[in-house]
Amino acid sequence: MSKVIYFDNNATTKVADEVFEAMKPFLTDLYGNPSSMHTFGGQVEKYIRHSREAVAQLLGCDSSEIIFTSCGTESDNAAIKGVLAALPEKKKIITTRVEHPAVLATCREMQSLGYTLIELGVDKYGQIDLKELKSQVDENTAIVSIMYANNETGVIFPIDKIAEIVKTKGIVFHTDAVQAVGKIPLNLSKSNIDLLSLSGHKLHAPKGVGVLYIKKGTRISPFLVGGHQEKSRRAGTENVAGIVALGKASELALKTINGENTKVKKLRDKLENEILKTCTGAMLNGDKINRLPNTTNISFEFIEGEAILLLLNQFGICASSGSACTSGSLEPSHVMRAMGVPFTAAHGSIRFSLSRYNTEDEVDFVIEKMPAIVNRLRELSPFVK
Amino acid sequence: MWDYNKKVMEYFLHPVNAGEIENPDGVGEEGSLACGDMLKLTFKLGKDGRIADVKFKTFGCASAIASSSVMTEMVKGLTLEEASKITNKDIVDKLGGLPEQKMHCSVMGMEALQAAIANYHKSKGKGVQTKKIEGKIVCTCFGVTDKEIEKVITENNLDSVEQVTNYCKAGGGCGSCRGEIQMIIDKIRGKKEKGAETQAKPKKLTNLQKIQLIQRTISEQIRPLLKTDGGDIDLIDIEGSKVIVAFRGMCSKCPTAEFTLKDVVEARLREFVSNDIVVEEQSE
């Protein structure tokens, strides 16, 4: 493919050049095992330590609270199952209906094993009712898991308030922050979050590395057992190159995070405003105010998302859709459905997610192409009179 | 990403016969917005009784648009009798194959064609013929009947529930009908049907017991089923054996709510409470 305009950064991101350079030696010369007694292996350990400190700095926590994992999904599984295993007398889990499958499927699996699962609904802006949350958190609750920001709409939950509600009742709080880290500033030392998941490939590190933040004093059993790595909290030989890459990516994110809210947001807003203005039947999904600076989710009434994506693909434009057809399931996105987005719009929802590597020229190109794509499919649609 | 072949992409990118014929001799519609795809087919006959012109309008993904377009090409010049013999398999073959999970797109093409032919025989292009409900609704999420399921199984030689879902969507929503689909497959494949387990019903209930049992059946048996689909149900009133309910959430907008009412709500209440129960939806 010649030209690629990558507006699908909530799916995955480009590995930053600096990150690739930083990890390369660990795939070539420095291949030792950090647990080894010899210098050749042992010398690698200090690079892992640097990475841990860099991630801790990005999250505003202590480096001893950082556990490296293989991905965001592992972190979510480890958090939820680890807490349930550590608190066997408690039998209730609280989450939301709009979580990523990594959390939702984990919770539902535990439900099938006998746990009570509460899935909080959301309003049309994708926000939960804090009063409902408050009334649900009780002594029998083992863990509350609510995402920091939604992957499809970019809607940001009031996580500090939520964490406080949960903390007041003495219950463990986990947040899947895979979409938030690197896009909005976090400071865990000042929050009541006990557990937080993040994923390297969403912030310009490669796939295959993630983090579980565990606040000091949180009761949790290890998800993977075996060796003594990560202070026996996560066994398995370290993915050294991936960990070093994530450390570098965290350093870069710390430097660029202000740009997310200015440069990236400006591009997103231009894209969104122009599309809403020029495309027939276009409407915004989610909470316009409390939202990640890089994400917009727009529905195009009476046309179908997969068809839009394939036409965008003809121009090398990458985006994603909540339509049923793109997933191979027969139902539109659970997030759109939970928000009560009508079927006429849910099947035609498109998510554009930008990054600091996108340019205004790219935004202009997409703005130019969209109206014709929408009109072409509307002409084919039996619902458009 | 779907692995569409060149032919499918070609028909998607450059569809032939797109549009709608004015004053058609036959009109057929299949699918709905809720289900994520819909096809409206119009045709006009020539003096020789053959299809002279045919056009389609499709809301749906690439394979739905390609299936619709290729089908219109296939039927042009055929008599209605010849056209009515076209199966979804013919459409798939003409396209050189579709991904398994997209087979339902070709079935939609076939069904819209049949609906349009039925419309010609009935009213010569007046009104719109939608799918005639024949048989009993098995999949309430997508409104698929046992007859339609039997048809895709026989015509495409299917032997798993997953395949049936790929071909006609049945079982792809809440999944509660998958057992029933398996039974249809077993029946067609000549296997012995498992004896349906019947729930022991209490003999004679007092009014209070009956009301409690209805409430319990709704909250334990029916509500969880609807909730998996984003819907909900409220019990409004009970008058003798008439139970009045109201649909909430997604159910209130669902085109197959009527079938849910009879085939899910009423059927469950009859099974667990009493045979003479009639369920009605609360009038606005």
Side-chain angles (χ1 to χ4, degrees):
Chain A
M1 199 178 283
S2 49
K3 185 163 88 173
V4 169
I5 295 184
Y6 193 73
F7 281 6
D8 202 10
N9 286 278
N10 286 8
T12 193
T13 59
K14 161 197 160 79
V15 175
D17 295 342
E18 301 92 323
V19 168
F20 183 58
E21 287 306 319
M23 74 187 286
K24 253 199 314 206
F26 300 89
L27 294 167
T28 51
D29 301 339
L30 294 171
Y31 59 81
N33 187 329
S35 300
S36 297
M37 286 310 294
H38 43 73
T39 316
F40 178 67
Q43 63 178 341
V44 170
E45 206 277 327
K46 68 170 179 288
Y47 295 96
I48 295 183
R49 204 180 333 128
H50 284 159
S51 261
R52 206 184 298 282
E53 277 158 15
V55 175
Q57 214 182 343
L58 178 65
L59 299 182
C61 65
D62 193 88
S63 64
S64 64
E65 297 171 310
I66 299 294
I67 308 262
F68 289 110
T69 65
S70 68
C71 59
T73 297
E74 185 197 321
S75 301
D76 288 336
N77 271 267
I80 294 164
K81 291 177 178 170
V83 168
L84 295 184
L87 305 170
E89 68 289 356
K90 299 194 174 199
K91 294 292 177 201
K92 184 171 162 186
I93 309 165
I94 300 174
T95 187
T96 75
R97 282 183 56 196
V98 296
E99 295 299 312
H100 187 277
V103 166
L104 211 48
T106 304
C107 291
R108 288 179 184 166
E109 184 194 358
M110 299 322 285
Q111 183 184 30
S112 72
L113 296 176
Y115 284 87
T116 302
L117 174 62
I118 305 295
E119 293 178 15
L120 301 170
V122 294
D123 60 18
K124 65 176 175 178
Y125 301 109
Q127 293 287 2
I128 59 166
D129 179 358
L130 295 184
K131 280 191 217 111
E132 191 192 351
L133 168 70
K134 211 173 201 166
S135 71
Q136 283 291 356
V137 184
D138 58 15
E139 278 186 358
N140 189 33
T141 308
I143 187 167
V144 177
S145 178
I146 295 176
M147 67 197 335
Y148 213 113
N150 185 271
N151 46 312
E152 292 188 26
T153 56
V155 168
I156 300 174
F157 286 96
I159 285 298
D160 287 334
K161 270 190 212 158
I162 291 171
E164 203 186 313
I165 290 171
V166 178
K167 196 80 218 162
T168 316
K169 307 227 182 172
I171 308 302
V172 178
F173 179 64
H174 166 251
T175 185
D176 176 347
V178 161
Q179 295 295 346
V181 175
K183 294 176 190 148
I184 51 173
L186 303 184
N187 188 351
L188 294 180
S189 68
K190 288 189 180 152
S191 86
N192 287 311
I193 296 169
D194 297 307
L195 301 156
L196 175 143
S197 306
L198 75 87
S199 169
H201 74 104
K202 308 285 191 194
L203 59 142
H204 305 289
K207 293 146 195 78
V209 62
V211 159
L212 177 61
Y213 156 84
I214 305 178
K215 194 187 248 332
K216 261 186 206 126
T218 307
R219 284 177 64 193
I220 183 165
S221 301
F223 180 54
L224 286 185
V225 293
H228 56 82
Q229 293 88 352
E230 302 296 288
K231 292 185 186 152
S232 297
R233 292 177 295 182
R234 198 274 187 185
T237 300
E238 297 87 344
N239 169 10
V240 181
I243 290 170
V244 169
L246 181 51
K248 189 71 193 175
S250 301
E251 268 175 37
L252 294 176
L254 201 58
K255 276 188 218 153
T256 55
I257 204 151
N258 290 330
E260 293 285 331
N261 220 2
T262 51
K263 187 204 151 194
V264 178
K265 183 172 183 293
K266 207 173 131 199
L267 292 179
R268 189 273 313 267
D269 288 346
K270 182 174 184 186
L271 179 73
E272 176 176 292
N273 291 335
E274 285 302 313
I275 289 177
L276 290 174
K277 206 159 67 188
T278 57
C279 295
T280 322
M283 56 190 112
L284 186 69
N285 292 316
D287 185 336
K288 197 170 164 47
I289 299 155
N290 301 301
R291 197 157 51 127
L292 294 175
N294 78 319
T295 310
T296 179
N297 188 309
I298 301 175
S299 274
F300 300 91
E301 214 177 12
F302 303 134
I303 58 178
E304 199 276 329
E306 185 203 288
I308 302 173
L309 290 184
L310 284 173
L311 291 177
L312 283 170
N313 192 50
Q314 297 288 306
F315 298 111
I317 302 167
C318 311
S320 70
S321 167
S323 122
C325 287
T326 51
S327 60
S329 80
L330 295 168
E331 311 231 322
S333 126
H334 69 290
V335 177
M336 294 297 131
R337 280 157 48 97
M339 284 164 48
V341 175
F343 280 116
T344 49
H347 284 290
S349 68
I350 298 289
R351 175 189 74 187
F352 296 101
S353 46
L354 280 57
S355 82
R356 59 179 187 263
Y357 293 102
N358 290 123
T359 63
E360 187 154 3
D361 284 347
E362 292 176 326
V363 168
D364 290 339
F365 184 74
V366 177
I367 290 170
E368 183 200 317
K369 296 296 174 199
M370 274 309 287
I373 289 175
V374 170
N375 286 338
R376 181 166 164 186
L377 292 171
R378 282 178 70 87
E379 273 167 30
L380 284 178
S381 172
F383 296 103
V384 180
K385 296 297 168 198
Chain B
M1 180 149 193
W2 297 114
D3 193 11
Y4 290 130
N5 66 36
K6 271 192 185 146
K7 208 159 177 190
V8 174
M9 280 309 284
E10 183 58 29
Y11 275 103
F12 164 60
L13 292 174
H14 310 286
V16 291
N17 299 327
E20 198 171 338
I21 295 174
E22 276 181 43
N23 306 315
D25 291 325
V27 193
E29 266 179 17
E30 175 55 28
S32 79
L33 260 179
C35 299
D37 43 24
M38 179 166 176
L39 164 54
K40 184 175 186 182
L41 190 78
T42 47
F43 70 80
K44 218 166 176 59
L45 293 178
K47 287 195 183 106
D48 55 358
R50 291 179 179 273
I51 296 175
D53 198 9
V54 52
K55 288 206 183 311
F56 78 92
K57 275 197 155 189
T58 293
F59 160 79
C61 56
S63 53
I65 290 171
S67 298
S68 311
S69 181
V70 83
M71 183 260 292
T72 58
E73 255 191 359
M74 290 163 71
V75 300
K76 223 174 207 178
L78 299 187
T79 64
L80 292 185
E81 208 201 326
E82 287 163 348
S84 67
K85 287 188 186 133
I86 286 180
T87 67
N88 74 292
K89 203 167 170 302
D90 299 330
I91 297 173
V92 175
D93 289 347
K94 188 85 183 168
L95 283 173
L98 277 178
E100 267 293 296
Q101 294 98 320
K102 295 285 187 175
M103 288 299 181
H104 60 84
C105 295
S106 65
V107 175
M108 176 172 78
M110 174 194 71
E111 289 183 343
L113 173 63
Q114 288 168 352
I117 295 172
N119 168 263
Y120 168 78
H121 290 307
K122 216 168 106 191
S123 52
K124 306 272 188 283
K126 293 203 177 61
V128 176
Q129 184 76 31
T130 49
K131 185 171 74 183
K132 215 162 82 198
I133 305 288
E134 269 180 54
K136 172 175 144 297
I137 296 270
V138 173
C139 171
T140 47
C141 297
F142 292 105
V144 188
T145 66
D146 52 354
K147 292 267 179 271
E148 290 169 284
I149 294 172
E150 284 167 18
K151 194 169 154 67
V152 293
I153 293 173
T154 346
E155 280 177 2
N156 299 284
N157 207 14
L158 309 182
D159 49 23
S160 74
V161 176
E162 201 189 341
Q163 283 178 319
V164 170
T165 306
N166 288 339
Y167 276 75
C168 67
K169 296 195 176 185
C174 70
S176 65
C177 63
R178 284 184 194 140
E180 213 172 324
I181 296 173
Q182 186 62 52
M183 271 159 54
I184 299 177
I185 296 172
D186 291 347
K187 197 175 78 192
I188 292 177
R189 295 266 159 269
K191 285 178 200 154
K192 234 165 94 191
E193 247 181 276
K194 282 184 207 144
E197 286 169 40
T198 45
Q199 194 92 8
K201 245 172 277 176
K203 287 264 168 336
K204 175 83 182 144
L205 299 169
T206 66
N207 267 341
L208 188 63
Q209 284 173 327
K210 189 169 168 181
I211 291 169
Q212 284 171 338
L213 193 55
I214 290 174
Q215 281 176 329
R216 218 174 64 214
T217 307
I218 288 183
S219 65
E220 289 175 8
Q221 302 281 336
I222 300 168
R223 183 166 294 132
L225 212 59
L226 302 184
K227 280 215 163 166
T228 57
D229 231 12
D232 203 352
I233 188 169
D234 279 341
L235 177 62
I236 304 294
D237 204 358
I238 302 170
E239 300 165 10
S241 56
K242 189 160 88 180
V243 178
I244 298 162
V245 298
F247 284 122
R248 307 282 185 226
M250 284 299 179
C251 288
S252 59
K253 297 173 205 138
C254 181
T256 59
E258 199 188 317
F259 306 117
T260 309
L261 189 74
K262 291 290 168 201
D263 285 355
V264 177
V265 184
E266 192 170 278
R268 297 272 158 144
L269 288 174
R270 284 185 178 183
E271 184 181 340
F272 290 99
V273 186
S274 160
N275 274 330
D276 58 356
I277 282 188
V278 180
V279 179
E280 282 179 16
E281 201 178 347
Q282 184 190 30
S283 45
E284 295 292 316

